[in-house]
Amino acid sequence: MDDRPVDADVLVVGGGPAGAAAAIACAVRGHRVVLCEREGARRERPGETLHPGVEPLLAQLGVADRLTPVVGARHAGIWIEWGGPRRFEAFGSDATGPWSGFQVWRADFDALLLTRAGEVGVDVRQPCAVTGPPIADGPIRSVPTTAGPIAARVIVDATGMTRWLGRALGVRSPVRSPRLIARYGYLTGSCPARDEAPALVGDSTGWTWTALVRPRTYQWTRVSFGQRPDVDWIPEEFRYLTPLMPSRGADVTWRMAAQAAGPGWFMVGDAAAALDPTSSHGVLKALVSGIAAGHLISAVLGGKAPAEATAEAYHQWLAGWFSEDAAKLTQFYRRLGASAFAAPAPQKGLAAGGAIG
């Protein structure tokens, strides 16, 4: 290990759930960590439904007992109408009773994780934005930021769909689906049907998600497979509610980095792999990838694992998870009759089984 002085053992760029999880996982193992988050204040993001299975991860990060202030609603499952009759899918139960998911307010949830990172010794710099690509000097990389250059032994890219490090290193992140654009908005008022549980409704034209995210505050997301919804579109069940702000759009096209890690760098969360919100566990995957990267980085820094082989193992694990989820989502969309996800026709000269005819 190069023993030249550095500003940090690990530099994390991006302060969302993936970046915070990676920073906490490294810091609790005794490593010096700097986390740069470009936003100076809490930024509103779409509300997120968390499966109750996320609780062990939050316990690992030290925040499981602090969720109450950031949870806007709890519910035992989700209403689903996906190319057939509407049905209720419960999260499950045990001897203590039904499990309940969490509807967290993302700005507050992200702030909770950053606060925890600071408590375990992470140097959280906010606002602090990277201003260029990393400059390598052997195994040490210096990253230019608005707060000055930061030299680190390992860099973690948690910049989401911006994919700062991947772009800087020339790592491709090819599209793995038709282009998908989500539109989402927030409204206030009363919609008793959604107070009980969120709903996911899909057909051949697209899908709509509706949920209570805070008392008297509701959120909707719409992804259309053909023409995009108008900017003033809202779900029929919310037609009597009052919009809190203009609706917004986001690119949720599926992507997977051709390489999610290498010696001295890791990508976590959406920076590495992204699916549209129908996968229903974006924050879960962000936390898991961040924690996993933190464990592996610690092993490498401690001399217990080789850097190149560890990076490759992380990539293969993440790529396998992505491929499995993408295959399931593709089948779900085909059941809806979504033409954009239709199975490709056999190539000319090849039988359906792939043998030469």
Side-chain angles (χ1 to χ4, degrees):
M1 178 69 67
D2 194 310
D3 59 0
R4 285 177 292 170
V6 292
D7 300 300
D9 297 317
V10 183
L11 170 62
V12 179
V13 181
I24 293 169
C26 289
V28 297
R29 287 164 176 78
H31 304 294
R32 292 179 298 154
V33 183
V34 172
L35 184 150
C36 292
E37 167 53 46
R38 67 180 180 181
E39 302 290 341
R42 299 181 185 183
R43 182 161 59 93
E44 302 303 338
R45 306 169 191 264
E48 181 70 34
T49 296
L50 303 182
H51 188 281
V54 77
E55 290 185 82
L57 295 175
L58 299 177
Q60 282 191 48
L61 296 172
V63 297
D65 59 348
R66 307 185 191 182
L67 289 178
T68 300
V70 307
V71 174
R74 300 205 66 177
H75 41 83
I78 300 170
W79 286 103
I80 296 179
E81 187 176 328
W82 198 259
R86 180 167 292 204
R87 68 187 188 279
F88 184 75
E89 286 203 358
F91 288 129
S93 62
D94 57 24
T96 64
W99 298 338
S100 293
F102 306 87
Q103 189 69 44
V104 298
W105 191 254
R106 274 295 304 277
D108 294 343
F109 182 71
D110 291 1
L112 173 66
L113 290 172
L114 286 181
T115 297
R116 175 59 180 165
E119 291 173 353
V120 297
V122 177
D123 179 0
V124 178
R125 302 184 184 182
Q126 184 181 22
C128 178
V130 294
T131 58
I135 301 170
D137 180 10
I140 297 173
R141 289 181 170 86
S142 178
V143 176
T145 77
T146 52
I150 300 173
R153 304 186 195 285
V154 179
I155 299 174
V156 176
D157 181 2
T159 60
M161 295 297 282
T162 302
R163 302 187 302 279
W164 159 74
L165 185 59
R167 294 178 191 274
L169 298 179
V171 177
R172 294 178 60 251
S173 188
V175 169
R176 304 295 181 90
S177 73
R179 189 162 189 245
L180 298 172
I181 302 296
R183 191 143 207 102
Y184 62 93
Y186 297 88
L187 309 97
T188 185
S190 177
C191 182
R194 286 290 66 73
D195 293 348
E196 176 190 357
L200 176 65
V201 178
D203 58 30
S204 60
T205 67
W207 58 262
T208 303
W209 168 266
T210 51
L212 174 74
V213 293
R214 276 182 170 178
R216 294 183 59 80
T217 301
Y218 302 84
Q219 187 252 330
W220 60 267
T221 300
R222 172 69 183 175
V223 170
S224 297
F225 300 139
Q227 185 176 0
R228 300 183 197 175
D230 297 332
V231 294
D232 57 353
W233 183 91
I234 62 172
E236 180 67 19
E237 64 182 320
F238 288 167
R239 66 187 183 280
Y240 297 118
L241 303 184
T242 302
L244 288 173
M245 61 188 74
S247 64
R248 301 173 183 173
D251 188 339
V252 293
T253 306
W254 307 352
R255 294 179 181 273
M256 175 69 213
Q259 192 63 36
W265 60 272
F266 284 75
M267 300 178 190
V268 296
D270 285 350
L275 292 166
D276 72 75
T278 318
S279 63
S280 76
H281 48 234
V283 168
L284 173 66
K285 295 193 79 166
L287 295 174
V288 171
S289 64
I291 291 172
H295 288 185
L296 295 174
I297 290 168
S298 181
V300 171
L301 290 175
K304 298 178 181 178
E308 190 166 351
T310 300
E312 180 61 22
Y314 173 81
H315 172 76
Q316 293 299 332
W317 165 73
L318 197 60
W321 191 2
F322 174 89
S323 296
E324 182 177 343
D325 279 357
K328 290 178 181 177
L329 279 182
T330 297
Q331 291 302 316
F332 291 158
Y333 284 145
R334 287 177 182 171
R335 277 183 227 153
L336 289 180
S339 58
F341 291 86
Q347 298 181 30
K348 186 176 180 180
L350 294 180
I356 298 176

